[in-house]
Amino acid sequence: MERYTLHRVIGEGSFGRALLVRCKSSQEEYVVKEVQLPKNQSKLEKSRREAVLLSRMKHPNIVAFREAFEADDLLCIVMEYCRGGDLLQRIRQQKTAQFPVDDILRWFAQMCAAANHVHDKRVLHRDLKSKNIFLTDNGTIKLGDFGSACILNSSKAYAHTYVGTPYYVAPEVWDNKPYNNKSDVWSLGCVLYELCTLRHPFQAPSWKSLILKVCRGAYPPLPSHLPYELQYLIKQMFKTNPKDRPSLHTILTSHRVARLLRKHLSSQAIEAEEPGRRTGRWNREEGVKVANLLGERSLIKTLTSEGVELPEAHCESREAAPRKQWHADPSDSVVQMLANASLISSESMTSTSQTLAGVSEPEGSRQRRRWAKDPPERLLSLLEKARLSRASSTFLINRGGEDPLVGPLSQPQGDDTDGPEAEVAVDEDRLQPRSDDEDTDFEEESPCDWMDEAEKMFSEH
Ligand SMILES: Nc1ncnc2c1ncn2[C@@H]1O[C@H](COP(=O)(O)OP(=O)(O)OP(=O)(O)O)[C@@H](O)[C@H]1O
């Protein structure tokens, strides 16, 4: 830390402070994310994972990693400083003035290129939201905060209980199915919708109606002045069945909107996207360098204690990884469950014995959790508790410790995005067979039962 001069604290997250510093030798400004070591092993692992993942991502639209070191009882991750702040602040500054379509297209193209690069490395970001997307002073998008990201095909230690931020969570996650590349696409759809409307697409006064809206893909219509391609894209990104959502690669290359987006991508970003797609693998030397940077002994111990390989060992290429497919059945068990639950008052919810039909799976497919095992009252009673204990534990479902149902773009006196059902656009053709099934090609290997974990957390408080 002696190589840097502290300017000021720019913010505090749930895992530590973010400092603005100046490098004494180069006079460049950087952000240092400081995380207390260790006490809580999972927080420590999360932070180390963020450093390792960030160091692997080299892309013009991803916050650049400079170095990481451990000093006293702190892990410090030094990264590029984005002077323009985060996209959420930028959206809020607009108040009611809509963004010009060109700004929306440019920012969205850049965030897609960044997230596509992440997917090409076979990493899921898992927490894409406007607060984790930054702007430089010249208005370039930089994707940041890899604290929740997950390396695919790794084992238990990476299967953590983090679910996401409720407003951005895809239907399949509520359905307790594995997080996959299309779940990130859904979240980016939410960010795009926010850019287009300055509102969350899915907003509701209760968990039940929020989840219902998400699982039905029911969102208020977009302003009609937006180009048809954008309207169509949002509709596609909010397909409730992940296999019907386009992958980021499709959005950037062959989707109807691709031509508009690529106009706004620098040749550097397009360049960065292509080689990543071809190689997309861990590099041994870089992995070793990062492991050394973070303090060899402790990092290796942490990452191998549960059978997890070191970063350089995550070398599977796209070809080598077995291709996983989504099952044919639509993911509407939550809708069913919540429809049943509507008969029950919230007071009687925990005492009801209502059950739900299980989701059928093709024979021989790998075991997935079913609602039959997690009766509807379980999710609802869990969420009731989550609301009550949000001050201490809701980072599981909302790391900010804020009210999970009061989103950053919510209105103080209720929100007009929560309008009557008749005004919302319902994704009528969500059961249509097709489309990017082939591109729903990777998902968490060992998803953990977040409901189990959440219940444990809440019962501790
Ligand atoms: N590279 C960066 N450039 C500019 N500002 C940053 C950068 N990284 C983080 N910040 C800002 O610093 C503050 C703290 O960020 P941090 O990532 O530590 O926590 P958070 O994202 O606010 O919360 P959490 O980690 O709990 O989700 C935020 O306001 C964020 O916008």
Side-chain angles (χ1 to χ4, degrees):
M1 202 58 183
E2 59 281 356
R3 292 191 295 281
Y4 302 93
T5 316
L6 173 65
H7 265 218
R8 63 186 166 89
V9 177
I10 51 173
E12 199 138 351
S14 42
F15 293 91
R17 299 187 303 172
L19 312 173
L20 178 61
V21 300
R22 186 183 291 278
C23 174
K24 287 178 184 163
S25 57
S26 68
Q27 295 302 305
E28 290 282 336
E29 286 182 309
Y30 294 98
V31 166
V32 175
K33 273 180 93 167
E34 254 184 11
V35 184
Q36 202 73 35
L37 290 171
K39 294 192 183 82
N40 180 327
Q41 194 62 18
S42 72
K43 286 185 186 178
L44 175 64
E45 285 171 24
K46 177 185 181 294
S47 312
R48 285 183 169 144
R49 190 173 55 236
E50 177 171 7
V52 170
L53 287 175
L54 195 57
S55 73
R56 291 291 304 121
M57 304 297 164
K58 291 190 176 64
H59 189 276
N61 300 114
I62 294 182
V63 172
F65 170 91
R66 179 176 160 89
E67 63 168 327
F69 53 87
E70 292 182 12
D72 301 324
D73 55 349
L74 293 174
L75 166 66
C76 300
I77 307 171
V78 187
M79 63 184 83
E80 176 181 9
Y81 171 46
C82 306
R83 280 191 184 72
D86 63 55
L87 204 53
L88 175 63
Q89 294 165 356
R90 187 71 190 75
I91 294 172
R92 280 174 166 159
Q93 278 166 18
Q94 288 301 110
K95 301 216 161 64
T96 55
Q98 299 295 326
F99 286 115
V101 171
D102 267 355
D103 286 357
I104 298 174
L105 287 170
R106 189 178 70 255
W107 288 337
F108 181 71
Q110 293 175 0
M111 62 185 85
C112 265
N116 187 42
H117 181 78
V118 174
H119 285 183
D120 279 337
K121 300 271 183 196
R122 301 196 72 74
V123 168
L124 299 171
H125 187 284
R126 292 171 58 110
D127 199 16
L128 290 169
K129 56 179 177 181
S130 41
K131 194 164 180 256
N132 287 341
I133 297 171
F134 300 97
L135 285 164
T136 63
D137 47 7
N138 72 5
T140 302
I141 288 284
K142 299 276 175 172
L143 179 59
D145 202 344
F146 284 77
S148 308
C150 154
I151 304 169
L152 297 158
N153 302 326
S154 64
S155 68
K156 273 213 301 260
Y158 285 113
H160 45 90
T161 54
Y162 186 79
V163 176
T165 303
Y167 278 113
Y168 301 84
V169 167
E172 60 274 14
V173 180
W174 292 124
D175 210 6
N176 218 15
K177 288 187 173 146
Y179 198 103
N180 65 92
N181 56 320
K182 302 292 187 69
S183 317
D184 275 348
V185 170
W186 177 280
S187 305
L188 264 195
C190 295
V191 177
L192 174 59
Y193 185 96
E194 288 172 9
L195 290 176
C196 293
T197 64
L198 316 174
R199 291 279 186 279
H200 299 298
F202 306 99
Q203 176 142 334
S206 71
W207 279 104
K208 193 166 122 181
S209 54
L210 174 65
I211 296 171
L212 260 175
K213 283 184 177 179
V214 168
C215 293
R216 284 178 178 159
Y219 58 91
L222 289 152
S224 53
H225 74 272
L226 291 170
Y228 159 77
E229 288 91 338
L230 261 187
Q231 312 236 13
Y232 179 69
L233 174 64
I234 288 182
K235 191 172 173 203
Q236 298 274 300
M237 293 177 88
F238 289 152
K239 289 282 179 187
T240 53
N241 189 336
K243 74 181 182 187
D244 292 338
R245 274 172 233 151
S247 68
L248 294 167
H249 182 70
T250 298
I251 292 173
L252 286 167
T253 55
S254 55
H255 194 273
R256 254 167 248 198
V257 82
R259 191 181 45 85
L260 294 182
L261 295 181
R262 289 176 78 88
K263 254 190 3 200
H264 292 276
L265 280 180
S266 67
S267 52
Q268 202 192 359
I270 295 170
E271 266 290 291
E273 187 190 320
E274 297 305 331
R277 195 146 184 95
R278 281 196 300 274
T279 55
R281 60 185 69 190
W282 290 100
N283 172 303
R284 170 174 285 271
E285 280 163 26
E286 285 179 51
V288 170
K289 209 169 118 194
V290 174
N292 288 337
L293 271 174
L294 294 178
E296 213 170 49
R297 206 161 36 122
S298 52
L299 178 71
I300 290 171
K301 197 163 161 245
T302 308
L303 292 181
T304 53
S305 61
E306 295 195 57
V308 178
E309 294 160 328
L310 281 169
E312 68 269 23
H314 293 284
C315 288
E316 63 278 9
S317 67
R318 294 180 75 83
E319 294 73 39
R323 213 170 170 84
K324 284 180 244 18
Q325 299 281 324
W326 278 83
H327 297 149
D329 21 309
S331 166
D332 58 358
S333 50
V334 175
V335 178
Q336 244 183 344
M337 176 275 282
L338 289 166
N340 290 343
S342 66
L343 300 168
I344 312 162
S345 75
S346 55
E347 288 77 25
S348 64
M349 218 167 291
T350 48
S351 60
T352 181
S353 60
Q354 189 138 0
T355 55
L356 219 222
V359 180
S360 62
E361 288 179 359
E363 227 176 297
S365 67
R366 84 176 170 84
Q367 193 67 29
R368 287 210 171 146
R369 283 177 298 282
R370 302 160 187 230
W371 283 109
K373 285 190 206 158
D374 302 309
E377 64 269 29
R378 189 175 166 215
L379 173 62
L380 291 170
S381 78
L382 167 67
L383 296 177
E384 293 279 308
K385 284 184 206 156
R387 229 183 151 178
L388 291 174
S389 60
R390 62 179 179 266
S392 52
S393 313
T394 49
F395 70 88
L396 272 170
I397 42 181
N398 178 27
R399 282 186 307 145
E402 302 148 16
D403 186 330
L405 288 174
V406 179
L409 300 176
S410 301
Q411 301 298 294
Q413 280 88 36
D415 197 294
D416 55 10
T417 60
D418 194 27
E421 287 279 315
E423 286 176 19
V424 301
V426 176
D427 178 10
E428 296 289 354
D429 51 359
R430 69 194 164 85
L431 300 183
Q432 273 180 355
R434 96 125 240 144
S435 74
D436 238 352
D437 191 7
E438 278 298 292
D439 259 352
T440 310
D441 62 353
F442 59 89
E443 63 185 25
E444 271 183 308
E445 265 298 283
S446 316
C448 104
D449 187 337
W450 61 268
M451 279 202 254
D452 262 0
E453 294 299 321
E455 275 172 348
K456 272 188 235 148
M457 290 291 298
F458 296 138
S459 63
E460 281 165 16
H461 291 275

